[in-house]
């Protein structure tokens, strides 16, 4: 393959041809790049997520290493706090190997069973799961008996949102973009689910799924869906604005209806959030998510693409909605 892979040390990027990198023994890399306290890691799983699209458009230029997270294995270490063979979660972008001083690494929980895929640390028990956790428990503050609406419900975040809402004693309505995804939502416990691409009227589909309206709305999509859904919120309803995937590829901004009237009359609360700002909830969130997965209360599905060079295809496919559950790349 001709694609470059990337090594990083102290922020300086060393672009090495794929074939060349594979010919360099690790002990030579160790001698060339290592300092005391550092460690060499190889990515095992890499994540592709919707947020990468708007952030890369806003913050990156051609030639930059694409942003993103990975599950990585420590292959060499000069840091006594990290043993060789240990698996960690890092935020070092689309690269197969990198060097770290350990300060930017998160160890997988000690209770992580060997039988559980480590890729889940990028999905249900990782950033997407934590996003669902924070959005429901901290932003929406859902209560037992309430009705929760989530769009893009068969994706990495939405599928966890619906299941956490069910664990919390709520009625859950979800929408997705294919009949097979709708069937999946019903299989994992959603009370109501519909294909937004085939319903005659989104407004009527939302009304039919919950005639009394919605207490909480977890919005991953934005655009037209959010503009219609806001009119179905109950008095004092809460909206967690997590994403706007319907708008990420727009070259001309969408023009939507004004939201002030339903916001005022129903005294709604709407809050946008970025999960990294809630890092103080990470430990408790990961612990709870892992517990629910091991108890069988929180189910997961992964769309796994093989090989590093297929990262772009996996990313584009995810943005097109081709994935069911979490999209990851196995290096």
């Amino acid at each position: 393959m001709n694609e470059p892979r990337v090594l990083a040390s102290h922020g300086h990027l060393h672009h090495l041809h794929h074939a060349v990198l594979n010919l360099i023994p690790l002990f030579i890399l160790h001698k060339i790049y290592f300092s005391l306290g550092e460690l060499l890691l190889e990515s095992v799983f890499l994540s592709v997520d919707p947020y990468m699209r708007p952030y890369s458009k806003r913050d990156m230029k051609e030639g930059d290493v694409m942003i993103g997270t990975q599950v990585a294995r420590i292959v060499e270490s000069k840091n006594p706090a990290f043993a060789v063979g240990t698996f960690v979660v890092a935020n070092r972008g689309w690269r197969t190997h990198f060097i770290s001083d350990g300060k930017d690494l998160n160890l997988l929980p000690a209770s992580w069973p060997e039988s559980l895929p480590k890729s889940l640390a990028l999905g249900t028990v990782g950033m997407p799961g934590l996003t669902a956790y924070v959005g429901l428990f901290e932003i929406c503050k859902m209560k037992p008996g309430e009705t929760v609406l989530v769009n893009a419900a068969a994706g990495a975040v939405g599928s966890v949102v619906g299941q956490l809402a069910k664990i919390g004693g709520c009625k859950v309505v979800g929408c997705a973009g294919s009949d097979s995804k709708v069937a999946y939502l019903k299989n994992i416990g959603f009370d109501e689910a519909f294909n937004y691409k085939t319903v005659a009227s989104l407004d009527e589909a939302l009304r039919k799924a919950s005639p009394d309206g919605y207490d909480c709305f977890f919005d991953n999509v934005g655009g037209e869906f959010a503009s219609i859904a806001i009119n179905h919120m109950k008095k004092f309803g809460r909206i967690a604005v997590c994403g706007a995937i319907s708008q990420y590829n727009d070259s001309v901004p969408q023009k939507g209806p004004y939201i002030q009237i339903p916001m005022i009359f129903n005294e709604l609360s709407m809050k946008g959030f970025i999960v990294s700002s809630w890092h103080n909830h990470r430990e408790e969130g990961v612990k709870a998510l892992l517990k629910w997965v091991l108890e069988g209360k929180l189910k997961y599905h992964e769309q796994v693409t093989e090989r590093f060079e297929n990262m772009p295809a996996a990313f584009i496919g995810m943005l097109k909605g081709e994935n069911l559950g979490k999209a990851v790349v196995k290096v």
Side-chain angles (χ1 to χ4, degrees):
M1 300 300 296
N2 293 320
E3 289 82 2
R5 296 184 174 190
V6 180
L7 280 168
S9 177
H10 298 301
H12 301 293
L13 303 180
H14 304 271
H15 295 269
L16 297 180
H17 190 281
H18 179 176
V20 174
L21 177 61
N22 287 341
L23 291 174
I24 301 177
L26 288 178
F27 75 90
I28 294 179
L29 287 174
H30 178 232
K31 291 179 179 178
I32 293 174
Y33 291 104
F34 267 55
S35 299
L36 188 63
E38 291 185 327
L39 45 151
L40 173 67
L41 302 98
E42 61 178 4
S43 299
V44 180
F45 292 99
L46 287 154
S47 183
V48 289
D49 299 283
Y51 78 85
M52 295 174 177
R53 179 60 171 156
Y55 274 77
S56 62
K57 287 173 67 177
R58 188 190 71 177
D59 299 334
M60 299 178 66
K61 63 183 183 300
E62 186 176 349
D64 288 347
V65 178
M66 185 62 171
I67 56 176
T69 56
Q70 59 263 94
V71 170
R73 184 176 68 89
I74 298 170
V75 293
E76 294 286 346
S77 178
K78 283 191 174 182
N79 187 324
F82 295 90
V84 171
T86 301
F87 289 87
V88 300
V89 176
N91 187 23
R92 299 299 293 270
W94 292 12
R95 62 184 88 222
T96 58
H97 295 78
F98 59 96
I99 286 173
S100 169
D101 61 6
K103 294 178 182 178
D104 59 343
L105 306 177
N106 287 301
L107 293 167
L108 266 64
S111 57
W112 196 284
E114 194 61 37
S115 59
L116 195 68
K118 292 179 174 61
S119 51
L120 290 189
L122 300 175
T124 304
V125 193
M127 181 276 291
L130 289 167
T131 301
Y133 183 88
V134 168
L136 281 179
F137 292 110
E138 300 299 326
I139 307 296
C140 285
K141 297 187 181 297
M142 66 173 184
K143 305 178 187 68
E146 292 189 323
T147 301
V148 175
L149 170 66
V150 57
N151 48 21
V157 174
S159 59
V160 179
V161 168
Q163 294 182 84
L164 294 189
K166 291 303 295 180
I167 291 171
C170 295
K171 174 184 176 180
V172 182
V173 176
C175 77
S178 73
D179 291 342
S180 61
K181 288 182 178 181
V182 169
Y184 172 71
L185 296 180
K186 292 180 177 177
N187 186 53
I188 62 174
F190 279 62
D191 296 285
E192 300 286 345
F194 62 88
N195 183 345
Y196 74 91
K197 292 182 179 179
T198 58
V199 294
S201 165
L202 179 57
D203 185 66
E204 184 55 36
L206 289 169
R207 183 176 295 106
K208 181 181 178 181
S210 182
D212 296 330
Y214 301 91
D215 300 282
C216 301
F217 171 30
F218 196 108
D219 185 18
N220 294 304
V221 174
E224 180 185 11
F225 189 104
S227 298
I228 294 172
I230 197 170
N231 292 296
H232 290 267
M233 297 300 294
K234 293 183 183 180
K235 191 83 169 177
F236 305 115
R238 289 89 66 201
I239 302 170
V241 183
C242 169
I245 196 169
S246 69
Q247 300 167 251
Y248 290 162
N249 286 321
D250 288 348
S251 55
V252 178
Q254 295 181 29
K255 184 177 181 180
Y258 300 108
I259 64 172
Q260 283 82 357
I261 296 301
M263 289 284 292
I264 294 167
F265 284 174
N266 285 319
E267 300 184 72
L268 305 178
S269 298
M270 177 186 287
K271 182 177 176 63
F273 74 103
I274 299 171
V275 70
S276 58
S277 298
W278 295 79
H279 59 87
N280 56 316
H281 289 273
R282 187 182 190 281
E283 185 176 348
E284 72 174 71
V286 167
K287 183 178 179 180
L289 293 164
L290 181 57
K291 175 177 177 288
W292 288 323
V293 167
L294 296 178
E295 291 174 347
K297 296 178 179 178
L298 183 54
K299 299 176 176 63
Y300 60 88
H301 188 280
E302 295 181 304
Q303 196 90 18
V304 182
T305 300
E306 300 277 347
R307 300 182 64 83
F308 180 77
E309 55 265 28
N310 292 321
M311 290 287 295
F315 180 53
I316 293 168
M318 178 273 303
L319 289 175
K320 290 181 176 178
E322 295 174 359
N323 60 298
L324 178 64
K326 181 70 182 83
V328 295
V329 174
K330 184 177 180 181
V331 180

